[in-house]
Amino acid sequence: METNPTTSVAPPSAASRLLERLVEGRESLDGAAATLQPAAEVARGRGLWRRIVTGEVLGHAAHPLMTDLPIGFFSSAALLDLAGGPAARGAARRLVGAGLLSAPGAALTGLAEYAPLGARPKRVAATHAVLNTASLGLYAVSWALRPQRHRAGVVFGMAGLAVSGVSAYLGGHLAIGEKVGTTAPAPESGIPQVIDAL
């Protein structure tokens, strides 16, 4: 019998194998991952709240949409830091501040998706959450330092961007590799069903 080449499974990449070894296959992370469960259950909630924070009313997960805000603000700040010159310093700091203000929405929707996960994706999601928290800490320091010690503030901002980049890879693995937040059936006709759900 012939095999269809389009259905063959590609071998795991080096990055996927590293992720498996460091995070996804490491049972020692289960205890730490379990500490997020109570907060995740509260964030997920019930009824209309759950349909909003999980993205059911949209037909797909809300978390990726919410993460675009802080990622966009922080990336734009980095671009101004690198290419904007002294005149862009105030705008770069405002963008860092906007990223910090938009981060809780991304965290809330992420926690809402965390609650029902199995053990392996939970290890990745917990690591993702820890890295995001570290990144936000670096950005908070960056925001505070910029008025008086601009160069140090930029360094902390670039460190925050690097950490968030690693975290974004883990988030992409969850969304695409593990199908987290993408398994709910999409509504057949989006807008009318969104209105009905509200």
Side-chain angles (χ1 to χ4, degrees):
M1 184 174 69
E2 271 187 37
T3 57
N4 186 344
T6 61
T7 60
S8 62
V9 178
S13 66
S16 296
R17 291 194 300 271
L18 183 63
L19 176 60
E20 165 70 24
R21 189 163 65 249
L22 294 180
V23 180
E24 202 165 19
R26 195 170 285 268
E27 293 182 7
S28 59
L29 294 175
D30 290 347
T35 62
L36 283 176
Q37 187 66 21
E41 294 286 355
V42 171
R44 190 170 177 83
R46 292 181 174 82
L48 177 59
W49 174 258
R50 177 178 292 187
R51 293 197 297 274
I52 291 171
V53 297
T54 60
E56 185 182 330
V57 296
L58 301 174
H60 59 78
H63 183 58
L65 169 70
M66 298 303 294
T67 61
D68 283 351
L69 292 171
I71 289 171
F73 289 133
F74 292 145
S75 299
S76 298
L79 182 61
L80 289 182
D81 287 335
L82 292 172
R89 290 180 177 183
R93 184 172 188 253
R94 287 190 292 274
L95 285 166
V96 170
L100 291 169
L101 290 174
S102 64
L108 176 67
T109 54
L111 272 175
E113 288 183 14
Y114 185 87
L117 296 180
R120 287 172 62 84
K122 242 179 195 149
R123 295 167 196 158
V124 180
T127 306
H128 174 66
V130 168
L131 289 174
N132 280 337
T133 302
S135 175
L136 289 175
L138 291 167
Y139 272 115
V141 173
S142 172
W143 184 85
L145 285 176
R146 283 170 183 264
Q148 301 301 324
R149 298 175 59 197
H150 174 76
R151 186 169 295 178
V154 170
V155 169
F156 273 92
M158 292 300 174
L161 188 65
V163 172
S164 70
V166 176
S167 181
Y169 173 80
L170 297 181
H173 172 76
L174 287 168
I176 297 169
E178 298 293 333
K179 309 297 185 203
V180 172
T182 62
T183 55
E188 291 178 7
S189 56
I191 300 219
Q193 290 199 22
V194 169
I195 292 170
D196 290 343
L198 296 173

